[in-house]
Amino acid sequence: MTAMPANLSGLDLRAEIERLRKERNAVILAHYYQRPELQDIADFVGDSLELSRKAAETDADVIAFCGVKFMAETAKILSPEKIVVLPDMEAGCSLEDSCPPEKFAAFRAAHPDHIALTYINCSTEVKALSDIIVTSSSAETILQQIPADQKIIFGPDRHLGGYLSRKFGREMLLWPGVCIVHEAFSETELLKLKAQHPTAPIAAHPECPPHIVDHADYVGSTSGILNYAKTVEADTLIVATEPHIIHQMQLAIPNKTFIGAPGADGNCNCNICPYMALNTMEKLYIALRDLEPRVEIDEQLRLDAKRSLDRMLDMASGTVGKGDLGSR
Ligand code: SF4
C-alpha cells in the first residue's frame, strides 16, 4: 500500500490534483464504483469497457486510474507508452484472486477443444492465456459472434457465465470464481425491501447470483444499469450492484430515488467493494505527484494479453449500450 505522509492535512487536495493533472498532462479515469469525490474529479467515469476504450484513445502522457489493479493493467496493456499510476496497488479483486494463472493454464490444457472467453476481471497472465476478453457490457454481443458448435470455457465469474449460459441456452464450462460484493446481496432482505416499495423495479448486475438476478426487472452492466435508471418510468429504483454507482444516478436524475439492495443483515456495508474503497483523494494526489505506484508489465506478457483484449475491442466495436446484456 502507498505510504501516507503525515503532512497532507493542510493541502487543498482538489486544487493540488488539478495543478498536477495539468503539469503532468494526465488524464484521470474513474470506475463507477469509486468514492464520489474521485468520480467528481475524474476526466471520465465509466465501466470497464468504456475505460478500456478511453485508455486506448487518450493522448495524455499519464493515466491516473482510479479503479482496481486489473483495470490499471488493462490501461497499460493498451497504452504501453504512457505512465499508468494506480493510487493504491493493493486494490485487487476477488475474481482475479480466484483464478491463479497456473491453475487456469492447467484447466485450459485439460480442455483443448474449448476456447477461453474470459471476463476482464482477471490478471494480465490470465488474459494472456485467454482467446477473447469480455466485459459485462460486451459479453452478449461477443458471445453471439461465436459459432454455436464452438465449446467455451468461461471464467472467472461463474455468475456472469451462468447468466449468459441460461439466457442463450449455451453450455459453457464455468470457472468457480465470484465477486464477494455481488455475492453478499440477500434475497430475503431484497424481498422485504421490494414489499416496502412494490412499484420500484429492481436493476441487478449479472455478477449477482441467480437468486438475486431472478427478481430483477433489468440485468446489465454498470453503464447499462445507469442508462436504465435514466429511461425507466418509475421514480424509485432498487439497485443491486456496488452502491457507489448511485452517485452518478443522483447526478443524472436528481428527481428519482435510488435504493441500494441490502446485504445479509439488511443494514451492512458488505456490498461496498473493499478493493475499490482503498483509493482516496490523498493517494491520487501522491500518485500524480510521485508518478508512483506505477503499473509495469513485461513486454512479451503485455503483447500476449493484448491479443485477447484487441479481440474484445474489435468484436464489441460500435455496440456500447446496444450490445449490453439488456432487459429481461
Ligand atoms: S466489485 Fe467485485 S468484481 Fe468489482 S473489483 Fe470489487 S470484488 Fe472485483
Side-chain angles (χ1 to χ4, degrees):
M1 198 179 299
T2 311
M4 186 63 69
N7 59 354
L8 291 187
S9 54
L11 280 183
D12 179 343
L13 285 172
R14 214 185 148 89
E16 286 298 304
I17 290 169
E18 293 292 0
R19 178 180 65 78
L20 287 166
R21 169 170 28 207
K22 287 195 193 87
E23 273 180 33
R24 303 288 194 202
N25 186 27
V27 63
I28 301 172
L29 304 181
H31 191 270
Y32 289 127
Y33 295 167
Q34 289 291 284
R35 298 163 187 272
E37 60 271 28
L38 290 172
Q39 295 187 35
D40 290 345
I41 205 161
D43 295 286
F44 184 79
V45 185
D47 67 11
S48 297
L49 179 61
E50 293 164 340
L51 293 173
S52 301
R53 285 203 166 108
K54 287 284 169 196
E57 288 164 4
T58 182
D59 56 7
D61 296 319
V62 174
I63 299 173
F65 207 113
C66 299
V68 293
K69 191 161 164 243
F70 77 80
M71 297 176 178
E73 287 181 350
T74 300
K76 184 68 180 175
I77 293 166
L78 295 171
S79 288
E81 70 290 355
K82 313 230 181 287
I83 293 171
V84 178
V85 291
L86 177 65
D88 193 319
M89 212 37 102
E90 298 292 312
C93 172
S94 66
L95 283 168
E96 175 176 349
D97 293 346
S98 78
C99 193
E102 57 290 352
K103 288 195 177 155
F104 190 70
F107 191 64
R108 285 223 64 180
H111 303 94
D113 52 345
H114 287 61
I115 63 163
L117 193 61
T118 306
Y119 194 28
I120 197 165
N121 299 32
C122 64
S123 64
T124 300
E125 288 80 1
V126 168
K127 287 183 178 73
L129 291 165
S130 300
D131 296 296
I132 310 168
I133 298 300
V134 299
T135 61
S136 51
S137 60
S138 62
E140 178 176 326
T141 303
I142 290 173
L143 182 59
Q144 287 176 297
Q145 294 171 56
I146 298 172
D149 58 352
Q150 174 61 60
K151 294 178 179 169
I152 297 172
I153 290 171
F154 189 93
D157 185 0
R158 71 185 165 100
H159 292 317
L160 174 58
Y163 174 77
L164 293 166
S165 182
R166 288 192 301 282
K167 181 160 182 175
F168 290 96
R170 186 113 189 211
E171 220 176 285
M172 297 194 280
L173 280 179
L174 303 180
W175 187 266
V178 294
C179 161
I180 52 168
V181 172
H182 291 86
E183 183 85 344
F185 291 117
S186 158
E187 181 181 22
T188 308
E189 295 299 326
L190 180 65
L191 292 177
K192 278 193 214 163
L193 186 65
K194 179 73 181 174
Q196 290 164 21
H197 304 276
T199 59
I202 298 172
H205 194 283
E207 285 175 20
C208 293
H211 59 258
I212 298 297
V213 164
D214 285 349
H215 295 293
D217 300 278
Y218 176 85
V219 181
S221 66
T222 44
S223 55
I225 291 174
L226 185 56
N227 286 337
Y228 179 70
K230 290 174 186 169
T231 53
V232 71
E233 276 189 17
D235 58 9
T236 302
L237 180 66
I238 297 172
V239 181
T241 190
E242 213 275 0
H244 283 112
I245 185 145
I246 290 176
H247 180 60
Q248 288 300 317
M249 294 175 176
Q250 285 167 335
L251 289 177
I253 328 127
N255 56 332
K256 289 190 184 178
T257 302
F258 304 102
I259 307 172
D265 72 1
N267 209 4
C268 62
N269 282 333
C270 45
N271 32 46
I272 289 180
C273 176
Y275 306 102
M276 292 274 184
L278 288 174
N279 294 325
T280 61
M281 290 286 275
E282 288 82 359
K283 292 177 192 173
L284 173 60
Y285 161 73
I286 292 167
L288 283 167
R289 185 192 67 188
D290 300 349
L291 296 182
E292 296 285 350
R294 208 179 279 201
V295 176
E296 304 286 3
I297 301 173
D298 168 81
E299 181 59 7
Q300 188 54 55
L301 176 63
R302 184 188 76 78
L303 291 172
D304 291 345
K306 188 169 182 292
R307 257 185 294 115
S308 58
L309 271 170
D310 282 344
R311 281 204 196 102
M312 172 188 81
L313 292 171
D314 287 347
M315 293 174 84
S317 173
T319 56
V320 180
K322 186 176 74 178
D324 205 339
L325 289 164
S327 308
R328 294 169 65 242

